[in-house]
Structure formats: C-alpha cells, structure tokens
Amino acid sequence: MHPLQQWLKQLDRKRAAIPHFWRWLLLIVTTIGFLTLWAYVAYLDSVVKAKFEGKRWAVPARVYARPLELYPGMNMTASQFVQELSSLGYYDAPTPKISGSYRRKGGAFFVITRPATFWDGKEPSIAFRAEFSDGVLNSLSRASGNEPLNLVRFDPMQIGSIYPAHNEDRILVKLSDVPPQLIKALLAIEDRDFYEHHGIAPRAMFRALFANLRAGGTVQGGSTITQQLVKNFFLTNERTLTRKINEIIMALELERRYGKAEILETYLNEIYLGQDGARSIHGFGLASQFYFGRPLNELHTEHIALLVALVKGPSFYDPRRHQQRSRQRRDLVVDALVSLGDITDKDAKRFKAADLGITKIAASGVTPFPAFLDLVRDQLKRDYREEDLTSEGLQIFTTLDPLVQRSADRAMVNQIHQIEKYKRLPQGQLQGAAVVVNVEGAEVLAVVGGRDPNFAGFNRARDAVRQIGSLVKPAVYLTALKNPQNYTPVTQIDDSAVSLKAGDGKQWTPENYDHQEHGPVPLYQALAHSYNLATARLGLAIGLPNIVDTLHALGVEREIDPYPSLLLGAASLTPLEVTQMYHTLANGGFLSPLRAINAVLTADGKPLQRFPLSVERAVDAASVYVVNTMLQAAVREGTGRSLYSMVPASLAVAGKTGTSNDLRDSWFAGFTHDRLAVTWLGMDNDQSSRLTGAEGALRVWGDLMSGISAQPGAWPVPDNAELVWIDPANNLRADSSCAGALQLGFIAGSAPANYSPCAGLGGAVDQTINWIKGIFQ
C-alpha cells in the first residue's frame, strides 16, 4: 500500500475513535454531575428533615402576674376594674359576644372572660355581671340566670419573657386555632394555588421574572408559601442565584416529605411580622398580641386583613409608622376576601371605613417591671438551666400584683419629684427603692428598683446595700422583751449620755437626733421617738451577740458584726433584706422566705414545679406582738406620726423610720395586718440626701399605701400575751376613758397591776379583784 494511502487510513481510524472518546467523557461527566446533584439534593433534604422534624423553635419562657380574682365584698373601684381589664387587653364592646370583651354602665359590668390554664387546672370562659359601688364589689353573678358567683378568675397579664440569644419571639398556634378567614385571606394574597402545586409555581416564577426585568427591579414575587417558609426557616435573605436554586430544591423536598397542613402551620408560626426594639415578632399568634393586644380568635375581619397585609413588608407597612400605606394594603386584602365570596361588598365598605384598631403602644417584649423580673430570674436560676428558660416555652406564674406595682411606681416617681423640689435637691440624682409584700403568703407584690421604675438597670431594691439606721432598733427591743421579768413596754430606761471605747480603739459617743437627753423614759417611748441614747444603753445591757442572734432569727442572712454602732443602725442591708426581716415581725414571728413565683408550667400547661409557702417559728409570738404594738405607737405619736395625714386613720400601721449617718439614707418599714412595704431614698454616690426617714421614705410609703387595697384590721393577740390600756402620764393601767391612753401589748402577767386614777371605778374594781387573786395565789 502506498505510504500516503496508509497514512490516510490511519487518520480515518483516529477520526473514528474521537467520537467514541467524547461519548465516554460525556458519560463520565454526566454521571459525576448527576451523582453530585443527587448528593447535594440529599444533603439539602437532610437539612430540611433535621430541622423540620426536630425542635423547630427556641420559644422564650413567658412570665405572668398574679391572676385577677373577683369575689363579692372585695375592695376595688369600678375605675380600678377598668384599668385591670385594659391591662389584660379586654375591650369595651356595645354588645359583648366573644371572650375578652365587656360592657360598662356606671358601676355595672357585663364581662366575658377568656379561657385560661393555671397551675391548678383550666378555667373556661364565663359570662358574668358585676356591680361596684363605694369602692367595693357588691355582687357577682352569671349573666344567664343570675346565679350568684363566689369567685371569678381572669387570665393573667403577661409581664415579661426570658428570651433566647437571637431575641426571636413567637406565640405558637395550631392550625385548628387560626381563624379560617385568616387562612383564606393569606392564600388569596400570597399563594392562590397552594393546595395544587408541589412546592413551586413555575408559571408564577416566570411571570414575576419578566415583570421584574421589564421594570428594571423587583416589583413582583413569584414565591409560593412553601418557598417563603424555606427562605425564612432555612436560608438567609441574600439575593443570589445559588440561594434561589437552594430555595427551589428545598421547597420541592419539603412538599415531598410533609403535608400541606403541617407546612402551612409552620409558616403561620415562622413568618416575620414586625420588630420591637431588639425583639423580632414572628408568627400570627404574637403579631395579634403585638398590634392589637388580644389573641387571634378575638380579631375582627379588618384586623385579620391588616395582619395579612404585613406579610409583604412588616417595616414598609408598619401600621404605627405608616398608617396610610398599611390602610391601603389592608383594603387590598379586604378586596381579595370579596373576590373569594367570603364577605360582601357592603361588609367590605364597613371594614375599609374602620380604624386600623392597633394599640397605641406596642405590647413590648421589654418588661415594664424589670426590678420584679430580677427576683423571678434569681428564684428560677436555683431550679432551672438557662437554656430551659430561653427555649422551652415555660409558663411562669408570679406573685406580682399589677395594681400594687402601679401604685408603687406612681408613688416613687411623684414623691421623688416633689421632694427634690421642696428640698431643693439636685434634679435627677435622688434615687429610691420599694418592696411590697403580702404578709400572709410572703408573696412579693411589687418591686421598684429606682426613680425610673421602667429602667432595667441597677436594681436598688435587690442590690443596693445601705446602712439601715434606726430600722435595726425593733430587733434591740425585741431581744429585751424576750425577758419580761426585766423588760416590758413601760420599763424605764435612761436616755442619757453614754460613751465607751469601740473595738478600733476610738471612743464611741452617740447622740440623739435632737441633741437632747430625755432622762428616764419607758421602752415604748424610746422606740417610738427613736432615742439613740436609751437604745444604746438597752443594747449594751442585753448584749450585742444576743441582738445579732435576733437579727438572724428575723431572717437576716448577711454577716453582722457585733459592734456597739450596730445598735444605732451601722449594719448595711438591701431593701429586700430589710423586707425579709420586717416580714417576720409582721407575720407574728414566723419566718417565711419571700417568694416571687407561685408555679411553673410547661408550654402545654403541665405543672413542673410549685413554690409552696415555707413557714418556720423563728421568734416567740408574744414578744413579737408586744414589739408590734410599740411600733404602732411609733406611728401614732412618734417619728412616723405624719403618716396619718396620708393614709386613713382606720388603718392600723406599725412601722419604723430609719435615718443613717449624715442623712445619707432615708428609710421607712411599715405594715398593716395584710400588707408590708419597705421604702428607701438616697444618693447612689452615698452623699447626703438631706432627708430623715420621715421626710423622705415615709412619704413614698404613705403615697404607695393610699393607692392600694390594704384592709383595716388588727393582729390577733397570742395566747400568752394581752393588750392593755396604759396611761402615758404615769405608765399605769388605764381604760379608754383616760385622756391620751394608748394600748400596748404585754406578755401575760407582765403588765402593770396598779391602775391610774383616771381609770375610775372600773379600774378600782379590777385592781381589787387582782389584789384578792394575789392573796390566794
């Protein structure tokens, strides 16, 4: 064969082999590409499955105030009741038909409560009538049949949440609990073919693509609800081709694995619908509370339309900032409901004419009661991990009383403003704190942490350790009165100068506030007028270690140094610690740790833990009763006497003012038979506030207590004690007819045997009987 022919033949063979090579290469590349795509789809599928079947959301713990409980005879005005209803998101309706609504006519109310879950079970919705007059709830009855009711309990007010780190917040709702009209409106606006497509709608995507290309920007979206869920739930908001491809693949996988109902329910809980500071509002359940202050099932059509309108752009259509925009978008949703045949044209006109209906102030995720929430956190941290509190949706029922808290907030703000003005103090520097407790249950009802009660900063009620001044004196007198053979309220002690060398080698020479000596005075007057010299002599006589033991028995856990200066208040405590100490006095000598939580429930309402009342006999009841009657004298005629210009004279108050050195701290601790409050005023820099206890903290206390329903009443007399009339002119027994006579407690058998001449014939008879009894004993 010719060499040229041979070369051409070889060339033909090579040419024939080339297509075969490329076919193999194409097959290999295709296979690798298919396997890569399959692996990538499998990876995205695993991402979808892992998150969708796992724990989908970290739901914050929700913290609630005490539930409002109505009962016939309770002290409450009609105005206070309206305030309570308003704080719970109840609204005044011409004809109440659904839960969360009411109607008022003067002092008469027709109310439909919301169903609620509590630690002791569920409360169904109830329609009832209530009538108030003269500050009292006179009657309570069912709306149908007028059957009398002994008690009505309301759903509690949410006062805060404990959030996860990313600050997402949501109230989870089930699809069956969502109003059908909301579902119809949502699908009509966002995804009409939701129940027909398999995750994506190619026709809608191409239509949106051409519209956007024509406009030169994004003017139309083609994403289905499933794609929107994927974007919010799994992906970021970046606008890239890769993200869009991932969105399509994951949407298809989501629809392949899960049903439409589950996808829709997840979307309803995931969709972003607003911003509250650092807190992001997710889901229609929380959005309903955030914008309207009520749950989803209480919304009207115009409210539902507004929520659906926000899906397109919560910031752009924010109804609090852009009312016209949000109204136009809402009306578009209303028109969509007309096109579906869900409402009539006549209804649509009425809904479009309606106001947006949003609350003026958002239901902020930042608690309005930060100081109280600090106590809740402290108590919870002893029993729960932080991740449980921020992710499990726990329901925490606290002891906070919103009416008492508001009164405490108002009193602190008002009095600080007035005090700064009349004392000419530097504006904005005087600080304060207050703690209010229910005596019987040791429940903390209110806490104020500073002059701005809503500021979530330094909590002075919990963390400000300040000298307590004369607040320590009841412990000194209580220690003495444990020995009635030597000390009774009318035992004379010497209020004269005293001087001794302290432990540091310096001379300790106390003085009275008025720089006077008052000579021999009975114990009750020494405490009532807060005489330092008499108290110092008494404390030194009974022993400093014994007084320290009494302070610990009253509930003070902090270490106390037994120095002589302790007798006049050199000890430093927080207002909360002072409250614990005085609560033992108010509670008749029983020590009960103060508590801010009643119960903790899971997200689905199952009880996790109760916080029962713990009670321990710490101090003899009779001795405490005697001191308490002396503290009543301190308010009636002593350093606290100005209090009765602020509270009713029928309110029996036992209390003690406190003033630290150089007028740095102003204190008042006082209690009735059912309420205890401790108030403090001072400067953070420890400079002089120029306020005594009576000039500062007592005014806050009186203003606070005048605004709450403290009940008039007397403390029961213990078996081994008695209440005796005393004539202050001679400290002998008296009766109510004696001028200036006052009642003081005595341990049985320790009261004066002799009667004052002012007691008259009755006193003489009693004295004769006692003389005869003494002969035969």
Side-chain angles (χ1 to χ4, degrees):
M1 182 180 294
H2 192 276
L4 180 59
Q5 291 177 324
Q6 189 176 7
W7 178 80
L8 290 171
K9 191 173 183 179
Q10 289 175 349
L11 185 61
D12 288 340
R13 283 200 298 268
K14 287 181 179 179
R15 286 174 177 172
I18 288 175
H20 184 69
F21 168 77
W22 284 109
R23 283 196 299 270
W24 273 106
L25 181 61
L26 181 62
L27 178 61
I28 291 170
V29 171
T30 301
T31 302
I32 292 174
F34 176 78
L35 291 174
T36 301
L37 179 60
W38 179 85
Y40 189 63
V41 171
Y43 162 73
L44 292 179
D45 179 62
S46 67
V47 172
V48 170
K49 183 179 178 182
K51 187 165 184 180
F52 212 75
E53 294 183 2
K55 183 180 177 181
R56 297 180 188 174
W57 298 287
V59 182
R62 306 206 178 274
V63 186
Y64 297 95
R66 64 94 184 94
L68 171 63
E69 294 183 337
L70 296 184
Y71 54 88
M74 75 178 294
N75 283 359
M76 178 177 280
T77 66
S79 297
Q80 286 176 327
F81 185 47
V82 170
Q83 191 177 30
E84 287 269 3
L85 292 174
S86 177
S87 68
L88 293 174
Y90 281 58
Y91 63 96
D92 193 350
T95 307
K97 294 180 179 179
I98 62 174
S99 61
S101 60
Y102 72 95
R103 185 62 177 163
R104 176 186 181 182
K105 290 184 179 180
F109 290 81
F110 175 84
V111 187
I112 305 177
T113 65
R114 297 187 182 113
T117 299
F118 298 95
W119 56 90
D120 55 356
K122 294 184 177 181
E123 293 279 348
S125 174
I126 181 174
F128 71 91
R129 298 183 189 279
E131 291 203 13
F132 296 84
S133 64
D134 299 324
V136 175
L137 174 56
N138 288 323
S139 66
L140 199 61
S141 61
R142 290 187 183 274
S144 58
N146 289 325
E147 174 191 348
L149 292 170
N150 294 323
L151 183 73
V152 172
R153 184 157 60 168
F154 285 76
D155 51 307
M157 169 187 175
Q158 184 179 337
I159 60 172
S161 298
I162 302 175
Y163 296 106
H166 48 70
N167 278 330
E168 283 189 10
D169 196 5
R170 54 177 51 80
I171 296 174
L172 298 181
V173 295
K174 294 180 180 179
L175 186 60
S176 58
D177 296 332
V178 177
Q181 195 173 59
L182 190 151
I183 304 296
K184 293 176 183 178
L186 179 66
L187 298 184
I189 292 295
E190 297 295 326
D191 193 352
R192 286 180 178 267
D193 300 324
F194 175 72
Y195 285 105
E196 280 71 46
H197 64 64
H198 299 287
I200 62 173
R203 188 178 301 173
M205 291 173 63
F206 283 117
R207 184 170 61 246
L209 176 62
F210 288 128
N212 294 338
L213 288 173
R214 199 163 40 240
T218 304
V219 296
Q220 186 174 329
S223 298
T224 64
I225 275 182
T226 310
Q227 287 175 268
Q228 292 180 42
L229 175 60
V230 166
K231 183 176 68 175
N232 284 278
F233 204 55
F234 301 102
L235 304 173
T236 65
N237 287 324
E238 62 177 346
R239 294 176 178 271
T240 64
L241 181 60
T242 302
R243 190 202 63 77
K244 192 66 179 178
I245 291 172
N246 287 342
E247 176 189 302
I248 292 172
I249 294 172
M250 296 175 87
L252 292 169
E253 288 301 300
L254 194 63
E255 292 260 0
R256 183 177 69 84
R257 282 191 173 275
Y258 306 101
K260 293 287 187 181
E262 191 171 3
I263 292 171
L264 183 56
E265 182 176 276
T266 306
Y267 177 89
L268 292 168
N269 287 301
E270 173 61 25
I271 188 67
Y272 171 71
L273 290 170
Q275 195 70 30
D276 175 30
R279 178 179 71 142
S280 54
I281 307 300
H282 286 262
F284 285 94
L286 180 60
S288 178
Q289 292 285 358
F290 180 68
Y291 291 108
F292 304 109
R294 62 183 82 164
L296 270 176
N297 61 0
E298 294 179 12
L299 297 186
H300 300 152
T301 299
E302 63 270 28
H303 304 146
I304 289 172
L306 180 58
L307 288 187
V308 173
L310 292 172
V311 173
K312 185 175 178 62
S315 178
F316 187 79
Y317 293 106
D318 185 342
R320 291 194 176 92
R321 293 188 299 154
H322 309 296
Q323 292 194 15
Q324 188 59 31
R325 287 181 198 168
S326 57
R327 180 183 288 275
Q328 290 174 351
R329 182 69 181 172
R330 179 200 68 177
D331 293 349
L332 181 67
V333 178
V334 171
D335 289 336
L337 288 172
V338 174
S339 67
L340 291 175
D342 193 67
I343 61 175
T344 66
D345 288 329
K346 183 179 179 180
D347 290 333
K349 289 180 181 178
R350 179 163 51 87
F351 297 142
K352 289 179 180 181
D355 292 335
L356 292 176
I358 59 170
T359 56
K360 292 182 181 179
I361 301 175
S364 176
V366 179
T367 176
F369 313 119
F372 182 87
L373 206 63
D374 283 342
L375 269 62
V376 173
R377 286 178 178 272
D378 290 343
Q379 197 168 341
L380 287 171
K381 285 177 181 177
R382 297 198 296 262
D383 302 295
Y384 296 95
R385 300 177 304 164
E386 185 70 20
E387 53 265 37
D388 293 333
L389 296 175
T390 59
S391 66
E392 298 297 332
L394 300 181
Q395 301 178 64
I396 301 161
F397 292 89
T398 75
T399 60
L400 181 131
D401 186 320
L403 280 179
V404 176
Q405 182 70 56
R406 290 190 196 99
S407 180
D409 292 348
R410 176 192 51 76
M412 185 64 68
V413 172
N414 289 349
Q415 290 300 324
I416 282 183
H417 176 73
Q418 292 179 25
I419 290 169
E420 283 182 335
K421 188 175 180 179
Y422 89 81
K423 293 290 284 189
R424 298 182 179 178
L425 297 173
Q427 293 295 306
Q429 293 188 21
L430 184 62
Q431 282 291 348
V435 182
V436 187
V437 175
N438 176 33
V439 172
E440 184 178 2
E443 298 167 331
V444 180
L445 304 178
V447 183
V448 182
R451 62 179 292 132
D452 180 0
N454 301 125
F455 178 67
F458 181 56
N459 186 348
R460 293 162 189 80
R462 183 189 67 172
D463 300 322
V465 183
R466 308 290 298 217
Q467 281 200 355
I468 63 174
S470 296
L471 293 190
V472 76
K473 289 177 180 176
V476 177
Y477 288 81
L478 177 61
T479 306
L481 290 164
K482 292 177 184 177
N483 185 4
Q485 292 78 19
N486 296 323
Y487 297 102
T488 74
V490 293
T491 299
Q492 300 285 312
I493 51 175
D494 188 12
D495 185 63
S496 60
V498 59
S499 180
L500 72 155
K501 188 174 290 187
D504 57 3
K506 295 181 180 179
Q507 203 71 15
W508 184 63
T509 309
E511 288 186 331
N512 284 326
Y513 179 72
D514 61 3
H515 305 293
Q516 302 292 319
E517 298 178 24
H518 304 93
V521 293
L523 257 68
Y524 81 87
Q525 284 189 6
L527 179 59
H529 295 281
S530 205
Y531 291 152
N532 289 337
L533 300 179
T535 303
R537 287 186 174 277
L538 177 64
L540 293 172
I542 59 179
L544 292 168
N546 293 326
I547 296 168
V548 171
D549 288 344
T550 297
L551 286 168
H552 288 318
L554 290 172
V556 176
E557 297 181 354
R558 192 180 296 270
E559 184 176 346
I560 303 292
D561 294 322
Y563 298 145
S565 56
L566 166 67
L567 300 172
L568 306 184
S572 295
L573 300 174
T574 67
L576 190 63
E577 289 173 318
V578 171
T579 306
Q580 180 69 75
M581 168 184 164
Y582 271 77
H583 179 263
T584 306
L585 293 175
N587 203 31
F590 286 102
L591 175 62
S592 297
L594 303 181
R595 58 199 182 109
I597 302 175
N598 273 325
V600 176
L601 275 60
T602 62
D604 56 359
K606 296 179 181 177
L608 275 182
Q609 187 173 355
R610 292 294 308 274
F611 294 84
L613 177 65
S614 172
V615 180
E616 172 191 349
R617 167 60 71 188
V619 187
D620 173 61
S623 301
V624 170
Y625 178 77
V626 174
V627 168
N628 287 349
T629 62
M630 292 166 63
L631 290 174
Q632 281 184 284
V635 176
R636 287 290 181 187
E637 64 172 67
T639 56
R641 59 186 176 276
S642 62
L643 183 65
Y644 280 106
S645 65
M646 306 181 73
V647 300
S650 60
L651 197 63
V653 179
K656 185 72 188 75
T657 56
T659 310
S660 65
N661 289 337
D662 300 322
L663 304 182
R664 289 189 177 95
D665 301 277
S666 170
W667 292 89
F668 187 75
F671 51 92
T672 65
H673 81 287
D674 67 334
R675 295 281 192 270
L676 159 68
V678 172
T679 52
W680 167 85
L681 295 180
M683 302 287 190
D684 282 344
N685 58 14
D686 207 30
Q687 291 183 353
S688 175
S689 66
R690 309 208 316 259
L691 296 170
T692 65
E695 291 173 322
L698 181 141
R699 291 183 52 164
V700 178
W701 195 99
D703 194 354
L704 186 165
M705 293 296 284
S706 67
I708 66 177
S709 57
Q711 303 284 337
W715 294 279
V717 182
D719 291 339
N720 57 334
E722 58 181 330
L723 192 61
V724 177
W725 285 98
I726 294 294
D727 182 356
N730 50 30
N731 296 316
L732 297 177
R733 278 184 182 260
D735 57 30
S736 58
S737 64
C738 290
L742 74 159
Q743 287 184 297
L744 293 172
F746 289 83
I747 293 177
S750 67
N754 295 327
Y755 279 78
S756 172
C758 68
L761 180 61
V765 172
D766 286 342
Q767 185 167 336
T768 302
I769 293 173
N770 289 334
W771 178 75
I772 295 173
K773 286 181 178 178
I775 294 176
F776 292 98
Q777 285 179 348

